C-alpha cells in the first residue's frame, strides 16, 4: 500500500472512531445536564467510551489485515450478501464481549442486576450495526477504486489495441512491402496468371483486414491463422525458396479466442529479424496445442547469423505491445516469452489460460 493510502486509511480510522467517541461523550454531558443524574459515573463512562473506540479501531484494523476485504469487491453479490452480515455479526460480538468485560468487572459501570439476555442481544446488535457501517464504508471506497481501475484498464486496453492496429496498418502499408508485392504480382501475371490472381486476392484480404480498425479485439485462432497464411504467402513471393513454412495446429485449438493480430505480429517479427536477414533463408513454424489447461502457441524461426545488424526500426516495441495486449485481453495468467537461448532456433511462446 502506498504511503498516501496508508495516511488516508489512518485518518479515516482515527476520524471515524474519534467522532463516535466524541459524540458519545457529548451525549453523556447532555444527559447529565438535563437530568442531573449519572454525573458520578461520567469519568468511568468516558473511559469506557475511549477504550471501546480503541477496541473498535483495533478490531476493524485486524479484520482489514486478516480478511481479504479489498478482494471482496471482485466477489459476486450473492456471496457478498452472505459474507457481510456474517462478518459484521462476528466483529460486533467480539466488540460486545470486550465492552461487557470493561463495563462489569473493570470499570464497574453496571452491576449484576443490570445483566440480562435482552441487554446482551441489544448490545451485540448495536455493535454489529456499527461494524456494518464501517465495513460498508470500507467496501464502498474500494468499490469506487476498483471501478476506476477497471476504467483505466479499459482505456489502456483500447490504447494498446489502437497502437497495435496502427502499427499493423503501417507495417502492411509500408512502401517496400507493398511495392515488392506489386512487382512480384506484375511478374507473375505473365509467368503464372493463376498464382498472380491468388496473390492479388491475398493482398486484398490482408489490406482489408488491416483497414478494419474497428474489428473485434479477439478472434478465433482459425481466423488469425488465415491472416497469417495470407501474409506468409505474400512474403513467400518476395523471399521465394528462402522462406519455408510449417504449420502444426491441433484442431481443438482453432476455435479458441486469441488477441487479433497476435500471431501475425510474431510471424512478422520472425520474418523481419530471422528469415529476411539470412542469405539462405530458413523456416517459420507455427504450432498450437492445448496443454495443462491453456492454449500453447509457438512461432519458431531460423535466427539471423550472429553479428547480423538489426533491421531498421527494430526497437522491440512490437513484442512489448503484443505482450501488454495479451495480458490486458487474456488476464495475468497469459504470457509471451521470447526464447533465444538456442543458436539454431528462436521461439516466441504464448500461453493463454482457457479459464480465468
Amino acid at each position: 500500500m502506498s504511503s498516501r493510502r496508508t495516511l488516508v486509511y489512518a485518518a479515516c480510522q482515527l476520524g471515524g472512531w474519534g467522532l463516535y467517541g466524541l459524540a458519545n461523550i457529548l451525549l453523556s454531558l447532555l444527559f447529565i445536564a438535563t437530568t442531573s443524574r449519572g454525573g458520578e459515573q461520567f469519568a468511568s463512562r468516558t473511559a469506557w467510551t475511549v477504550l471501546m473506540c480503541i477496541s473498535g479501531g483495533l478490531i476493524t484494523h485486524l479484520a482489514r489485515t486478516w480478511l481479504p476485504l479489498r478482494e471482496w469487491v471482485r466477489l459476486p453479490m450473492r456471496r457478498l450478501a452472505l459474507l457481510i452480515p456474517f462478518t459484521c455479526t462476528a466483529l460486533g460480538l467480539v466488540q460486545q464481549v470486550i465492552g461487557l468485560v470493561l463495563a462489569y468487572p473493570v470499570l464497574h459501570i453496571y452491576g449484576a442486576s443490570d445483566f440480562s439476555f435482552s441487554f446482551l442481544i441489544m448490545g451485540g446488535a448495536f455493535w454489529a450495526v456499527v461494524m456494518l457501517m464501517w465495513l460498508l464504508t470500507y467496501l464502498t471506497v474500494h468499490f469506487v477504486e476498483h471501478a476506476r481501475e477497471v476504467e483505466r484498464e479499459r482505456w489502456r486496453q483500447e490504447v494498446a489495441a489502437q497502437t497495435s492496429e496502427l502499427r499493423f496498418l503501417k507495417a502492411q502499408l509500408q512502401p517496400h512491402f507493398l511495392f515488392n508485392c506489386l512487382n512480384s504480382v506484375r511478374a507473375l501475371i505473365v509467368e503464372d496468371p493463376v498464382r498472380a490472381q491468388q496473390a492479388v486476392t491475398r493482398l486484398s484480404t490482408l489490406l482489408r483486414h488491416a483497414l478494419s480498425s474497428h474489428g473485434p479485439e479477439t478472434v478465433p485462432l482459425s481466423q488469425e491463422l488465415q491472416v497469417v497464411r495470407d501474409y506468409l504467402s505474400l512474403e513467400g513471393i518476395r523471399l521465394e525458396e528462402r522462406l519455408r513454412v510449417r504449420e502444426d495446429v491441433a484442431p481443438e485449438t482453432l476455435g479458441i479466442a486469441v488477441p487479433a493480430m497476435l500471431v501475425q505480429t510474431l510471424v512478422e517479427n520472425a520474418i523481419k529479424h530471422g528469415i529476411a536477414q539470412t542469405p539462405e533463408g530458413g523456416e517459420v513454424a507455427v504450432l498450437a496445442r492445448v496443454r495443462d489447461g491453456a492454449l500453447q502457441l509457438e512461432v519458431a524461426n531460423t535466427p539471423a547469423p550472429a553479428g547480423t545488424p538489426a533491421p531498421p526500426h527494430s526497437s522491440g516495441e512490437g513484442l512489448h505491445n503484443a505482450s501488454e495486449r495479451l495480458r490486458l485481453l487474456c488476464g495475468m495468467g497469459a504470457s509471451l516469452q521470447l526464447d533465444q537461448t538456442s543458436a539454431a532456433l528462436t521461439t516466441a511462446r504464448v500461453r493463454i489460460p482457457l479459464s480465468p
Side-chain angles (χ1 to χ4, degrees):
M1 179 183 285
S2 66
S3 57
R4 181 177 175 276
R5 292 179 63 183
T6 303
L7 289 175
V8 171
Y9 166 74
C12 290
Q13 281 282 73
L14 291 174
W17 287 106
L19 282 175
Y20 170 79
L22 183 61
N24 275 275
I25 293 172
L26 291 176
L27 286 174
S28 296
L29 287 173
L30 182 63
F31 177 77
I32 293 171
T34 54
T35 63
S36 300
R37 290 186 296 135
E40 67 281 0
Q41 284 194 336
F42 177 72
S44 299
R45 289 181 179 274
T46 301
W48 183 85
T49 300
V50 172
L51 290 174
M52 290 303 289
C53 289
I54 296 174
S55 168
L58 287 174
I59 290 173
T60 50
H61 180 71
L62 291 176
R64 169 182 167 274
T65 304
W66 290 342
L67 300 175
L69 297 182
R70 291 180 63 187
E71 300 301 321
W72 285 16
V73 297
R74 306 176 193 277
L75 297 177
M77 293 305 295
R78 182 176 298 179
R79 191 172 174 190
L80 270 182
L82 295 175
L83 277 176
I84 289 177
F86 176 79
T87 304
C88 294
T89 303
L91 296 179
L93 288 177
V94 173
Q95 179 78 338
Q96 169 71 345
V97 169
I98 294 174
L100 290 174
V101 171
L102 289 173
Y104 283 92
V106 177
L107 297 174
H108 305 291
I109 297 174
Y110 301 111
S113 59
D114 299 318
F115 189 85
S116 67
F117 182 73
S118 60
F119 183 77
L120 290 177
I121 296 298
M122 290 181 62
F126 170 78
W127 286 115
V129 170
V130 172
M131 295 300 173
L132 175 64
M133 293 172 63
W134 178 88
L135 188 57
L136 289 180
T137 304
Y138 186 88
L139 290 179
T140 299
V141 171
H142 284 285
F143 267 119
V144 172
E145 189 178 62
H146 178 66
R148 288 177 178 172
E149 182 61 28
V150 169
E151 185 68 10
R152 282 196 292 269
E153 283 287 303
R154 189 178 70 80
W155 279 106
R156 288 176 58 192
Q157 187 171 315
E158 288 185 2
V159 169
Q162 290 173 1
T163 302
S164 179
E165 288 168 354
L166 288 173
R167 180 180 172 279
F168 177 75
L169 180 62
K170 183 180 176 182
Q172 301 312 317
L173 293 180
Q174 62 177 309
H176 289 300
F177 177 81
L178 194 57
F179 292 155
N180 285 337
C181 285
L182 292 175
N183 287 330
S184 299
V185 170
R186 185 185 63 179
L188 285 174
I189 289 174
V190 177
E191 297 174 3
D192 191 344
V194 175
R195 195 177 168 205
Q197 289 179 353
Q198 293 173 348
V200 170
T201 301
R202 292 182 185 279
L203 180 59
S204 172
T205 302
L206 199 59
L207 292 177
R208 186 183 301 112
H209 183 76
L211 291 169
S212 300
S213 57
H214 299 292
E217 293 176 338
T218 60
V219 296
L221 180 61
S222 58
Q223 182 177 334
E224 176 72 4
L225 289 177
Q226 186 55 52
V227 175
V228 170
R229 293 183 191 113
D230 289 336
Y231 174 77
L232 286 171
S233 177
L234 291 171
E235 288 286 17
I237 296 173
R238 178 171 70 94
L239 298 170
E240 298 181 333
E241 67 274 5
R242 291 172 58 204
L243 175 61
R244 298 179 291 280
V245 178
R246 181 165 61 90
E247 187 176 302
D248 184 3
V249 177
E252 65 269 21
T253 64
L254 294 176
I256 298 175
V258 299
M261 295 177 286
L262 171 68
V263 185
Q264 197 280 337
T265 299
L266 300 181
V267 170
E268 178 192 332
N269 200 63
I271 297 286
K272 183 177 180 180
H273 295 272
I275 311 304
Q277 303 296 313
T278 308
E280 64 274 17
E283 181 183 82
V284 173
V286 179
L287 300 93
R289 292 282 185 276
V290 172
R291 191 176 300 154
D292 300 328
L295 171 64
Q296 309 280 353
L297 273 171
E298 288 187 6
V299 175
N301 66 277
T302 306
T308 302
H313 310 297
S314 58
S315 61
E317 186 180 357
L319 284 181
H320 173 75
N321 287 343
S323 179
E324 181 70 7
R325 205 160 161 255
L326 179 67
R327 185 185 68 81
L328 291 171
L329 290 174
C330 302
M332 297 300 292
S335 62
L336 167 58
Q337 296 178 332
L338 187 63
D339 182 0
Q340 294 179 301
T341 55
S342 170
L345 207 63
T346 296
T347 306
R349 294 190 175 89
V350 174
R351 181 181 184 276
I352 300 177
L354 297 183
S355 59

